[in-house]
Amino acid sequence: MTMNLKQKKLLLIGVALLLLAALKGGLVWWYLQHKQQVAAPVALACNATQGLCSLPDGGSLRFVSPPQNGKPFVMRLEGVSASEPSVEFSMADMDMGFNRYRFVADGANWQARITLPVCATGSRHWIATLHLGDKAYSLPFQTQ
C-alpha cells in the first residue's frame, strides 16, 4: 500500500500538530513549576483614616478625604519610589468584584481617586491591599 501526496501531507500535518501540542504542554508545565508564589501582604498596624500610616520600608499612606461607599475619595502615597503602585479593595467573606486602582504620579508623590461600591449587606469594613512592586501591605479600614 503506497501513500499518495495528499495522505503524506495529512500525516505530516498530524505529526506537526502533535509536536506543537507536546511543546505547549511542556511550556505550561515549566511555567507552573517556576511561577513565583505571591507573598502574603504584610498587615499594617495603623489607622489611616485618622492620619498618616507609616509603611515599613519608608513612606506613608493616607486618606486625603474620608472613605465612603459609593462616593469618590482620594488616597495619597508619599515618599514611595515604586514604579507603578496600586491598591486593591476587598471585604472579608464577601466578593465585592474587581476594585483595583493605580496611583498616578503627583510630583514626587502618588495619588488615587477611588470609588468603592455599596455592599448589599450594609457592611463598611474594607481591606485595602497596597501593591508596591513585589511587596504588598494590607490595611483594614471602615468607610463612613
Side-chain angles (χ1 to χ4, degrees):
M1 179 171 147
T2 61
M3 294 167 87
N4 64 25
L5 187 58
K6 185 175 180 180
Q7 290 174 329
K8 287 181 183 180
K9 283 183 183 179
L10 288 175
L11 180 62
L12 185 60
I13 289 172
V15 169
L17 287 174
L18 286 173
L19 289 173
L20 183 62
L23 176 65
K24 185 174 181 179
L27 289 173
V28 167
W29 177 83
W30 181 87
Y31 171 76
L32 292 174
Q33 297 301 314
H34 293 88
K35 185 170 99 172
Q36 292 181 350
Q37 297 296 323
V38 177
V42 174
L44 296 175
C46 62
N47 187 347
T49 58
Q50 299 296 320
L52 288 178
C53 185
S54 296
L55 301 173
D57 295 329
S60 61
L61 173 71
R62 70 181 172 102
F63 290 93
V64 174
S65 50
Q68 297 182 21
N69 289 344
K71 295 184 180 177
F73 61 92
V74 176
M75 286 183 86
R76 189 162 178 81
L77 271 174
E78 298 171 348
V80 172
S81 61
S83 62
E84 291 185 7
S86 65
V87 64
E88 184 175 349
F89 296 91
S90 61
M91 282 188 169
D93 303 323
M94 175 83 53
D95 182 7
M96 294 301 291
F98 185 73
N99 294 295
R100 186 172 218 175
Y101 294 85
R102 282 197 171 164
F103 284 88
V104 177
D106 180 23
N109 299 310
W110 303 86
Q111 74 176 19
R113 185 176 172 90
I114 297 153
T115 304
L116 294 176
V118 177
C119 180
T121 66
S123 176
R124 297 177 179 271
H125 298 278
W126 288 89
I127 301 167
T129 303
L130 177 64
H131 299 276
L132 300 175
D134 60 348
K135 296 179 181 171
Y137 304 99
S138 107
L139 174 67
F141 70 96
Q142 191 169 349
T143 57
Q144 295 182 351

